Structures are given as structure tokens and as C-alpha cells.
């Protein structure tokens, strides 16, 4: 990995045309390990290091928000040993890395149904959110036990209750109001989504929020997604013509 080699923005990237919010689907940890004759958990351990370095890269290059899909509602179907390792890994990383992330100005948030997670992990999450609440260098959001369809259903139920209680007229429901009832209500929508390992689907991740997000897919497994690979993703992004459904005015 080469994340540590260059803190400065590469000269071929336009600092005025960087995504302000990058979302990542970190795919391929298990396959990365299997191809090396290692247990799948070794891939998750290396993947965590890659995520840490990508976070630092985003901060170095002036990208203000990073959201990572760490554990989906569907991931509970994986072998119990792997699930237990992942949850323990999250907790251990929070406990070990929080002081450094706080020192570097990282604001940490979590999205998803956190209520079913181990109590000790919930405690670490709450502590990290509280401690970093006022940091402004970069907003780091981790999706844990997250499923976008469940998130949208939750928002619909909350709005239905307000209608039922007479506090909301159905005609008042619009995109902005729905967005205020999503987990991501305090975060701008992503400008760029990156998915590794050659898969080209969203896998129930930020379905509402990605409506006008540019998407970048790479064959690299997540543990191999270094600063050079991120540089290539940003170059691709900067070649896109983002019209948001409009027709660009002719010169």
C-alpha cells in the first residue's frame, strides 16, 4: 500500500472539482485473503487498515466527508465466527484509534440500527460520537447493521405516525421531509460512490442518498485500494459532466 507516500493533492487533480463527500462499499476483503492462503478475517484486518489510510487521504486532500459501508443488515448471514470477529474488530479499532482520530479533527458518526449490536460496542460508539462531535477536519460516517430499505421504511413509519397524530398533512410530505427522517439527515448526499472488487451493484446502500451520485467501480479488492487507486477514482470523477437531470447551457 502507498497511502503514506503523498499528503499533497496530486497536481493533475483540480482542487475546485473534488467530491466533498465520498462513500465506499469496501468489497473483497475475504477474497483478498483467500487468494493469499489466509483466513478471511485477515482480509478484514487489512481492510480496516486501508479504511484508516483512506480517511487520512481524504483529510489531506480536502475531502470533507467519508462514509463507509462496514456491516450490512444482510451480513448477519455470514458464518458466526466471521460476524463475531468483525464486531470485535470494530470495537477494538474504536478503542485504539479514537484518540488519534480526535487529535486529527475527525468527527465520527454511525448510521444503521445500532440497538442490536453488543452493548460494549454501542458504548464505544457513543463515546466516540460524543468525544468528536465538534471536530471539523472531516466527517467520518460508518454504516453498521445498515440497510437502506429498512432506513426508508423507518422514515415512512415516522411520517405516518405524525400524520396519524394530526401533526402533519400528507400533502406536506416532500423529499426534504423524508430526508430529515433518514439516518443521514445531517450529512450532504455523496458526490462519489466507490465500490471495489469488480461488483457493480449498490447492495442496499444509501439508495435514497445516491440518486445523483457519480459511481466508480474497480476490480481491485478493498485491501489493495491504496492512494494511487483513489487518485484514479478522483480523476474519473473529474471527467464526469454532472448535470443533475438538466441540460447544460451551450456556450
Amino acid at each position: 500500500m502507498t497511502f503514506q507516500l503523498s499528503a499533497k493533492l496530486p497536481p493533475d487533480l483540480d482542487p475546485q472539482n473534488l467530491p466533498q463527500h465520498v462513500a465506499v462499499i469496501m468489497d473483497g476483503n475475504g477474497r483478498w485473503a483467500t487468494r493469499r492462503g489466509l483466513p478471511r478475517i485477515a482480509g478484514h484486518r487489512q481492510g480496516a487498515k486501508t479504511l484508516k489510510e483512506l480517511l487520512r487521504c481524504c483529510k489531506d486532500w480536502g475531502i470533507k466527508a467519508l462514509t463507509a459501508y462496514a456491516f450490512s443488515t444482510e451480513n448477519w448471514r455470514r458464518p458466526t465466527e466471521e460476524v463475531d470477529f468483525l464486531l470485535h474488530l470494530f470495537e477494538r479499532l474504536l478503542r485504539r484509534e479514537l484518540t488519534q482520530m480526535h487529535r486529527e479533527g475527525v468527527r465520527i458518526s454511525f448510521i444503521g440500527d445500532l440497538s442490536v449490536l453488543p452493548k460494549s460496542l454501542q458504548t464505544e460508539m457513543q463515546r466516540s460520537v460524543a468525544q468528536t462531535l465538534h471536530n471539523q477536519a472531516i466527517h467520518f460516517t460508518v454504516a453498521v447493521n445498515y440497510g437502506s430499505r429498512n432506513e426508508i421504511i423507518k422514515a415512512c413509519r415516522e411520517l405516518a405516525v405524525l400524520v396519524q397524530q394530526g401533526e402533519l398533512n400528507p400533502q406536506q410530505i416532500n423529499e426534504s421531509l423524508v430526508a430529515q427522517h433518514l439516518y443521514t439527515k445531517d450529512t450532504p448526499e455523496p458526490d462519489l460512490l466507490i465500490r471495489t472488487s469488480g461488483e457493480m451493484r449498490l447492495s442496499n446502500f444509501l439508495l435514497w442518498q445516491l440518486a445523483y451520485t457519480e459511481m466508480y467501480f474497480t476490480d481491485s479488492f478493498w485491501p489493495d485500494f491504496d492512494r494511487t487507486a483513489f487518485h484514479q477514482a478522483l480523476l474519473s470523477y473529474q471527467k464526469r459532466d454532472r448535470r443533475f437531470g438538466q441540460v447544460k447551457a451551450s456556450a
Side-chain angles (χ1 to χ4, degrees), residues 33-45:
T34 300
R35 289 192 178 186
R36 286 162 175 75
L38 301 170
R40 287 176 57 85
I41 59 175
H44 294 306
R45 190 178 289 115

Side-chain angles (χ1 to χ4, degrees), residues 24 26 47-55 66 68 140 222:
V24 291
M26 306 177 291
K49 294 178 181 177
T50 298
L51 179 59
K52 177 183 173 182
E53 295 301 333
L54 178 62
L55 177 64
L66 175 67
F140 180 40
W222 176 250

Side-chain angles (χ1 to χ4, degrees), residues 1-115:
M1 289 174 56
T2 57
F3 269 101
Q4 69 277 13
L5 295 182
S6 175
K8 294 183 179 180
L9 186 70
D12 56 352
L13 287 175
D14 178 3
Q16 303 302 316
N17 188 28
L18 289 172
Q20 288 304 293
H21 181 183
V22 174
V24 291
I25 299 177
M26 306 177 291
D27 205 5
N29 290 336
R31 280 169 284 169
W32 179 90
T34 300
R35 289 192 178 186
R36 286 162 175 75
L38 301 170
R40 287 176 57 85
I41 59 175
H44 294 306
R45 190 178 289 115
Q46 185 61 41
K49 294 178 181 177
T50 298
L51 179 59
K52 177 183 173 182
E53 295 301 333
L54 178 62
L55 177 64
R56 179 169 287 119
C57 181
C58 286
K59 186 174 75 73
D60 288 345
W61 290 358
I63 294 168
K64 301 302 291 183
L66 175 67
T67 296
Y69 201 10
F71 191 87
S72 74
T73 49
E74 291 77 24
N75 285 157
W76 294 105
R77 302 170 188 165
R78 294 186 176 188
T80 302
E81 179 186 0
E82 185 173 347
V83 170
D84 289 346
F85 175 83
L86 282 169
L87 297 179
H88 181 66
L89 179 64
F90 297 157
E91 184 175 340
R92 190 170 72 245
L93 286 172
L94 279 176
R95 193 177 295 122
R96 189 177 68 199
E97 303 291 346
L98 178 59
T99 298
Q100 181 63 32
M101 286 195 288
H102 183 43
R103 188 181 299 125
E104 294 188 25
V106 178
R107 177 188 167 201
I108 305 172
S109 297
F110 298 92
I111 58 174
D113 181 5
L114 310 181
S115 64

